[in-house]
Amino acid sequence: MNTPSTRNHTSASLPNRWPWQRSLQARMIIAFGGAFLIILTILTFWLGRTVYNTYLDAAEHDLEVVAFLASNALEDPLSGYANEFAQYQQWEAERIRNAATQNVTHEGEQKEDKVNKDDDEDDEHDERPTPTLAPTPPPTPPPTPPSPAIVLPRLQGVADIYARDANARVTILDRNGHPVVDSLYPITLIAPQGAQPEVSTALRGDELSDIRPDAITGALTLFAAAPIQQGSEILGVVQLSQPMQLVAEKARNLVLTIIAAGVMAVLASTLLAVWISRQLVRPVLRLEQAALATAQGDLTQQVPVQTSDELGALAQAFNTMVGAVRTMLEQQRAFVAHASHELRTPLTNIKLRIEAVREMGDEAPDISARYLAEIESEADRLTRLANALLDLAHLESRPSAPPAHSVDLAPVLHNAAAIMQLRAQTAGVMMETTAPPTLPPVKVHPEQIEEAVLNLLDNAIKYTPAGGRVTLAASTTQDHLTVTVSDTGPGIPPDDLPYIFDRFYRVDKARSRARGAQNDMGSGAGLGLAIVKQLVEQNQGRITVESMLGQGTNFAVSFPLMA
Ligand code: ADP
């Protein structure tokens, strides 16, 4: 047994378009692993997107909350920062008013230089009495505006605190969107923010967040803003910003963890697939080896049946098949041995007699004539044997097609009885037929049934001693027609009964052969009943036998009646 080379030969002779078609295991691994990979890739993408969006939403919300808290701190009198922004606004308003006043004064100087010069001098030395004009009450000094040097650091402090809390950049803007303080950059670097969506929304009293590149760093940044309000008056805006990198980093860490878990799961599932497929493929490989060994003639091969699944059933079926093939082969061998034996005996007899006749020449014409008669008889026996073997081979190799029509077997039975009548008379056996003139129709090949009945009648007459009786009868039950051939012969011993339908089985060889030689039916080699059984079963019939030693034998052949 050369299993590997046979296996290679088998594999090579199969058309394999793809590498994995050569291995069931590879196909299973690819199927398992591929399915897991696709599922996990989709899952990872989906989870990654969800995680990123969740983180972004959370970051937007956090920024908006901090912007709201910072703006609240600036507008709530209890928070301690309440006055800072109001003071700044006041100072800013004052500065703008002063700048406007100086502008107006400057223009007046250009147009009415003299008068205005006098006025200026008066302003500068207002405690000096003016002789030409009536004394005017001193003007009320304007309230001292808070100094930016005090207010701005305090606002800066507010921005810094919230920037630290939120890990973000905080910019406080005035009601025009101009930067006042920034937690990260000098305000000279910061452009007016009034046009930015979150700032313009905050200036309308609402909150919004936005993602865009930062004007200073150019990096994609998340912005949120909240209005600083007193009553319905918008005093300014607190703007918070955080680089998207920070948001993405947190999400990325989680996504990376998910991807790592996914990769581990794919690896684990692939290993599992390898293990499962190996478990599944192992019995198939064992079966392949056993099948190849069987093909090479080893009919002792059996594979272990380890599971009760399809593979277990396949192994079981394989074992049954090998067993059946072994039995069939044994039967075939026995058949060939029997047939050879049956052929050899008459051939030997013929050869011996021919030699004797040749040696005697014309010396003993009587003995020569007897030998020639015996040679003829042996030749007849050989012919009968050859015919019986051919019949059997023919029946087994080419089972006849099921009959198309139903027939009445009564005429067939009467005809068979008529054929055997003379032989019965010659043997001194009384033969009677009790079959009615018509019988219910059955679907059979009539010529085959006639041959079977003739064989049974032949045996009955053959084995029944003179003075005995052979009866051919037919009866019907509700669903069966039964034909019986019974005799009052010696009967068949119970030990032999189970085997009389086997090929070459004879109860008494000498008697069988001797009786077979008496007529031209049956081989006398134990093939007659085997042929009868084949003929009956090919017509969906069933044959049974009952026998009592010393009393007789009864063969019954039954066929199903048409529904
Ligand atoms: P053969 O050609 O030797 O008769 P069969 O197959 O017809 O072979 O019969 C097998 C054996 O069954 C015979 O050898 C015979 O001993 C026994 N047998 C068959 N029919 C009868 C019968 N009617 N009465 C007694 N023995 C019978």
Side-chain angles (χ1 to χ4, degrees):
M1 189 177 81
N2 187 0
T3 311
S5 69
T6 318
R7 177 166 160 67
N8 286 343
H9 170 74
T10 317
S11 303
S13 60
L14 292 173
N16 290 318
R17 283 185 59 207
W18 308 103
W20 58 80
Q21 284 184 317
R22 273 179 229 137
S23 161
L24 182 63
Q25 195 178 352
R27 238 179 296 165
M28 279 194 250
I29 293 168
I30 290 169
F32 269 111
F36 268 108
L37 195 66
I38 291 169
I39 291 169
L40 281 170
T41 309
I42 293 170
L43 211 66
T44 308
F45 266 110
W46 179 76
L47 269 177
R49 248 180 65 111
T50 311
V51 164
Y52 182 81
N53 287 341
T54 310
Y55 267 96
L56 188 62
D57 284 350
E60 280 177 0
H61 177 75
D62 286 354
L63 271 197
E64 280 173 14
V65 167
V66 177
F68 173 77
L69 289 175
S71 68
N72 252 14
L74 289 171
E75 62 197 26
D76 182 3
L78 294 175
S79 68
Y81 294 109
N83 290 328
E84 311 298 338
F85 202 69
Q87 281 175 346
Y88 171 77
Q89 295 283 326
Q90 199 181 338
W91 168 74
E92 182 67 3
E94 198 59 38
R95 188 180 65 79
I96 292 165
R97 198 169 56 237
N98 281 350
T101 313
Q102 274 174 13
N103 270 353
V104 170
T105 311
H106 192 60
E107 280 165 25
E109 273 174 359
Q110 285 174 345
K111 288 176 189 171
E112 309 158 21
D113 52 338
K114 183 80 179 120
V115 177
N116 282 346
K117 258 184 187 172
D118 290 348
D119 284 351
D120 285 347
E121 280 169 13
D122 287 350
D123 283 346
E124 280 170 18
H125 315 284
D126 53 357
E127 69 266 52
R128 205 167 17 129
T130 310
T132 49
L133 293 172
T136 51
T140 324
T144 312
S147 160
I150 298 167
V151 172
L152 284 180
R154 291 178 65 81
L155 286 176
Q156 183 72 47
V158 174
D160 289 347
I161 286 169
Y162 283 96
R164 210 170 37 246
D165 274 6
N167 192 20
R169 178 183 145 203
V170 177
T171 314
I172 296 175
L173 308 166
D174 67 13
R175 59 168 66 94
N176 300 313
H178 289 214
V180 177
V181 287
D182 188 278
S183 66
L184 204 59
Y185 302 113
I187 54 166
T188 45
L189 283 180
I190 301 168
Q193 299 289 301
Q196 302 299 355
E198 77 283 359
V199 176
S200 59
T201 307
L203 285 172
R204 287 195 301 274
D206 230 334
E207 281 194 47
L208 185 75
S209 59
D210 186 37
I211 297 170
R212 61 175 181 275
D214 184 79
I216 299 170
T217 61
L220 200 62
T221 305
L222 172 65
F223 290 90
I228 306 165
Q229 245 170 322
Q230 264 179 358
S232 59
E233 190 192 353
I234 307 279
L235 300 177
V237 170
V238 175
Q239 185 194 40
L240 269 87
S241 62
Q242 202 170 43
M244 282 299 285
Q245 205 190 344
L246 259 178
V247 179
E249 216 159 74
K250 281 186 199 164
R252 196 169 51 226
N253 285 343
L254 197 62
V255 171
L256 281 178
T257 312
I258 292 168
I259 289 173
V263 170
M264 300 280 278
V266 168
L267 281 178
S269 65
T270 308
L271 284 178
L272 194 71
V274 170
W275 185 78
I276 290 174
S277 59
R278 194 170 287 172
Q279 296 298 312
L280 287 175
V281 165
R282 195 175 292 160
V284 176
L285 291 177
R286 206 174 291 151
L287 206 61
E288 184 203 16
Q289 308 238 319
L292 289 172
T294 307
Q296 288 178 0
D298 179 3
L299 289 175
T300 59
Q301 288 289 326
Q302 291 282 291
V303 288
V305 182
Q306 287 166 328
T307 50
S308 55
D309 58 5
E310 291 86 344
L311 286 173
L314 184 64
Q316 183 87 59
F318 175 83
N319 291 342
T320 310
M321 182 194 74
V322 173
V325 169
R326 196 170 49 226
T327 309
M328 268 167 58
L329 257 175
E330 278 163 9
Q331 284 176 348
Q332 275 311 337
R333 282 190 194 130
F335 179 77
V336 171
H338 272 122
S340 317
H341 181 74
E342 290 300 323
L343 289 168
R344 206 177 51 198
T345 313
L347 281 173
T348 313
N349 287 341
I350 288 171
K351 196 163 185 296
L352 285 172
R353 280 161 183 73
I354 288 172
E355 280 170 7
V357 169
R358 190 185 292 139
E359 278 175 16
M360 280 189 291
D362 297 334
E363 285 173 15
D366 291 353
I367 300 175
S368 293
R370 203 184 74 212
Y371 280 174
L372 283 174
E374 283 172 4
I375 287 169
E376 192 181 7
S377 163
E378 289 296 293
D380 286 345
R381 214 173 104 198
L382 274 177
T383 309
R384 283 198 306 276
L385 183 64
N387 285 341
L389 284 171
L390 272 175
D391 276 358
L392 208 53
H394 186 78
L395 281 171
E396 281 183 348
S397 64
R398 269 178 292 165
S400 48
H405 306 290
S406 312
V407 288
D408 178 0
L409 276 183
V412 174
L413 300 181
H414 287 287
N415 191 43
I419 291 171
M420 298 308 287
Q421 194 61 50
L422 183 64
R423 182 166 300 157
Q425 271 176 18
T426 313
V429 173
M430 197 178 98
M431 196 176 87
E432 59 178 357
T433 309
T434 62
T438 56
L439 288 166
V442 281
K443 250 190 174 178
V444 293
H445 291 289
E447 69 287 349
Q448 290 187 340
I449 303 310
E450 186 174 298
E451 194 185 332
V453 172
L454 281 173
N455 257 300
L456 292 174
L457 285 174
D458 180 57
N459 272 353
I461 296 167
K462 196 162 70 178
Y463 295 108
T464 304
R469 179 183 299 174
V470 171
T471 310
L472 173 64
S475 61
T476 52
T477 60
Q478 209 175 4
D479 47 6
H480 278 86
L481 164 68
T482 304
V483 177
T484 53
V485 175
S486 47
D487 61 58
T488 56
I492 301 168
D495 289 349
D496 295 305
L497 263 187
Y499 308 108
I500 56 163
F501 294 106
D502 292 354
R503 297 162 188 177
F504 298 108
Y505 193 84
R506 285 167 299 193
V507 177
D508 179 345
K509 287 188 185 179
R511 200 173 60 168
S512 251
R513 197 172 297 141
R515 301 210 179 221
Q518 287 171 6
N519 54 58
D520 58 357
M521 287 197 79
S523 61
L527 290 174
L529 286 180
I531 292 173
V532 169
K533 190 167 186 268
Q534 281 282 335
L535 288 167
V536 170
E537 286 179 353
Q538 282 208 4
N539 285 277
Q540 278 68 54
R542 204 169 147 256
I543 183 163
T544 53
V545 60
E546 287 172 357
S547 190
M548 290 277 280
L549 268 181
Q551 290 193 17
T553 306
N554 181 32
F555 285 93
V557 177
S558 59
F559 301 100
L561 283 176
M562 303 286 297

